[in-house]
Amino acid sequence: MNQSSFVIRRRRVLQLMAGTAGSVMLHACNGNTSGDASSDDSDDLAMSMGTAPWVGQLPLYIAQEKGFFTEEGLDFELSIFGASGDYISAFASNNVNSVAPVSAEAILMASQGKDFKIVLVQDNSVGGDGILARDTIETIEDFKGKEIAVDTTGVSYFFLLQVLKEAGLTKDDITIVNADPASAATAFESGNVDIAVSYAPYLPATARAVDNGRVIYDSSKMPTAIIDLYLVDTAFIEENPAAIQAFVNAIFKGTQFMDDEPEEALAIGAKELEVTTEELEGDLKGVKIPSVEDNLNMLARPDSDTYLAEPLKELVTFLLDEEQIESAPGDVASLLYPQFVEAYAGA
């Protein structure tokens, strides 16, 4: 699997449709690789998760490789699916207890009646997504009347609309050229459009290749616009709180390992994602793996500037306006479940 293929697959999310998944390829990974039959003990904690490969899951990959789940007494099974629709379907049908989706997927599932809680924030984009513009375009306000290449089926479109709103513009003020992130960057580089929305690795590469253009705005200026999450089925949480606590503890151990042993952390992630350590290191610059304090701000503190309920509310409005969901899922603040992070932090 090359870098571009897993990035595109991970983040083309708004086209998700409810229904039966197609063929699913599973790759189960357990923190306990010793073959110890004690994992069958009824007293053991167990949890399963469905996801697709993504750079923001590096702490999870580390937790598996270094045995942190096992240290926490958790028999953790990770199933790698070929596409986001597959792991969403598995979660909806209770074939896995948890998933690691983009925030747009979370809202889609909630609108379709899936009962879950957000127990942890996986990562948020802090420069990995951005907008390319010619040097003749000085401000976002200058986008009015221009053609913009953007993937209307992905999170890039929502990001663009948020940026436009901040500048007092709407989608009616521009002309959309629908293009996936790679094609949008190519269209910009070839001069077919003056503005394009994309993300790493295409964003920085194109900015370097074009003499008369640059990244005019990136997600570091809007760090809650594009967020990846860890969701757990509500009934499973109620029946297995110790398993969720063990999961959260192990993820934070993985995050700490990234700080303490960066070279080994990169090697673990590069092997899992089938990229070079240099590519992974570059991609990590565009995402922020949140700390315990960051998670508390996003999940537990309504007065925080990064409180997650606010961008989720905006996302609901966007998905309704774009007819991606038929009805609002209710109070999105009720989806936030910070208790396990609070327990880890001793709050």
Side-chain angles (χ1 to χ4, degrees), residues 70-308:
T70 302
E71 288 180 6
E72 293 293 328
L74 180 64
D75 180 11
F76 180 71
E77 181 178 7
L78 181 65
S79 295
I80 303 297
F81 287 74
S84 61
D86 290 339
Y87 68 71
I88 296 302
S89 293
F91 187 49
S93 59
N94 298 316
N95 287 325
V96 293
N97 312 132
S98 59
V99 285
V102 178
S103 51
E105 292 175 316
I107 295 301
L108 285 163
M109 284 186 285
S111 73
Q112 294 163 0
K114 177 62 180 177
D115 191 3
F116 64 83
K117 300 297 182 186
I118 300 168
V119 301
L120 197 62
V121 178
Q122 179 189 124
D123 68 83
N124 54 301
S125 180
V126 289
D129 297 75
I131 304 175
L132 297 154
R134 301 292 171 195
D135 292 338
T136 54
I137 298 172
E138 298 181 358
T139 67
I140 302 299
E141 287 80 359
D142 294 335
F143 285 14
K144 188 171 184 178
K146 300 292 194 302
E147 289 187 341
I148 302 179
V150 62
D151 181 5
T152 60
T153 67
V155 292
S156 294
Y157 186 44
F158 176 56
F159 177 64
L160 171 63
L161 293 186
Q162 286 182 296
V163 174
L164 292 175
K165 181 180 179 181
E166 192 175 65
L169 302 176
T170 72
K171 62 183 178 182
D172 296 329
D173 293 311
I174 63 173
T175 299
I176 294 291
V177 178
N178 190 20
D180 65 59
S183 299
T186 299
F188 180 80
E189 184 173 351
S190 63
N192 291 331
V193 295
D194 290 335
I195 307 168
V197 188
S198 191
Y199 50 66
Y202 319 114
L203 184 73
T206 303
R208 290 191 298 267
V210 176
D211 292 333
N212 65 337
R214 82 286 191 201
V215 177
I216 192 173
Y217 194 107
D218 67 38
S219 53
S220 65
K221 300 177 183 179
M222 196 177 290
T224 60
I226 301 173
I227 308 167
D228 293 281
L229 309 164
Y230 288 117
L231 314 183
V232 183
D233 178 79
T234 300
F236 185 80
I237 292 175
E238 293 171 351
E239 296 171 3
N240 304 274
I244 314 307
Q245 189 66 65
F247 171 78
V248 170
N249 294 353
I251 293 297
F252 282 132
K253 283 185 177 181
T255 303
Q256 185 62 49
F257 188 87
M258 290 176 60
D259 294 334
D260 295 341
E261 303 289 344
E263 291 187 7
E264 186 177 354
L266 285 173
I268 291 170
K271 179 181 178 181
E272 182 69 29
L273 297 170
E274 300 182 18
V275 297
T276 67
T277 55
E278 291 78 14
E279 288 172 329
L280 178 57
E281 187 174 22
D283 283 350
L284 282 170
K285 293 177 181 178
V287 299
K288 180 179 181 181
I289 308 295
S291 65
V292 177
E293 187 69 12
D294 293 331
N295 263 279
L296 289 171
N297 284 332
M298 298 181 82
L299 296 176
R301 296 169 178 165
D303 293 335
S304 168
D305 291 339
T306 58
Y307 185 54
L308 189 56

